[in-house]
Amino acid sequence: MKFENTGLEKKKADLIRLDELMLAYGLVRAGQWDYERVTYDRKFDLKEGVYYLRVFGYAVEGDVGADKAVIQLMTPALGKHYYPHGVEYGADENYPKTLVSQCEKILNDLNAEIEKFEQ
């Protein structure tokens, strides 16, 4: 499920500041990056299954590997994990309403925080 029109898809921000902010909201970059792209994940382990809120981005300036980049954020998504296949984002998935609401709040709060230092 994509979270359209959150405002995040219009934001550009410094990688280091983004890493710090995302971590404060439980979104971790860890190994989800290459020299041009990043993915921040937050895992939700519920009785209905394991879900991931993902915020994607790509470098418009600099190099992610050198920790010196400006990241253009993209449309966030919520997916359900299926072992051993991975995360599915399909519209036919059933997402708990409380989880969707929690993710929307996180994304709205992130958007407001990023506005303070976006480029």
Side-chain angles (χ1 to χ4, degrees):
M1 135 177 234
K2 290 186 176 181
F3 290 97
E4 304 284 348
N5 302 314
T6 62
L8 288 174
E9 62 278 353
K10 298 176 184 174
K11 302 282 190 268
K12 293 179 188 172
D14 175 74
L15 176 65
I16 299 301
R17 301 236 11 226
L18 253 172
D19 282 351
E20 292 169 359
L21 177 63
M22 294 292 190
L23 193 56
Y25 284 89
L27 289 145
V28 179
R29 178 164 55 109
Q32 279 74 278
W33 65 272
D34 63 21
Y35 295 99
E36 300 171 348
R37 293 174 294 208
V38 296
T39 301
Y40 296 95
D41 283 346
R42 178 165 173 177
K43 181 179 180 180
F44 296 90
D45 200 350
L46 308 175
K47 66 180 179 182
E48 295 91 343
V50 176
Y51 299 87
Y52 286 91
L53 173 60
R54 290 194 160 158
V55 179
F56 308 97
Y58 62 92
V60 291
E61 293 177 28
D63 182 332
V64 174
D67 287 331
K68 293 183 181 179
V70 174
I71 302 297
Q72 171 67 59
L73 294 174
M74 300 166 62
T75 303
L78 179 63
K80 184 173 183 179
H81 184 264
Y82 291 95
Y83 178 83
H85 303 293
V87 179
E88 294 290 332
Y89 305 99
D92 56 336
E93 295 290 337
N94 284 327
Y95 298 101
K97 290 182 183 186
T98 56
L99 175 61
V100 172
S101 295
Q102 184 178 3
C103 291
E104 288 172 339
K105 180 175 180 353
I106 291 167
L107 295 172
N108 287 334
D109 291 349
L110 276 173
N111 189 45
E113 290 293 322
I114 292 170
E115 282 181 357
K116 297 175 184 175
F117 63 87
E118 73 177 307
Q119 297 189 0

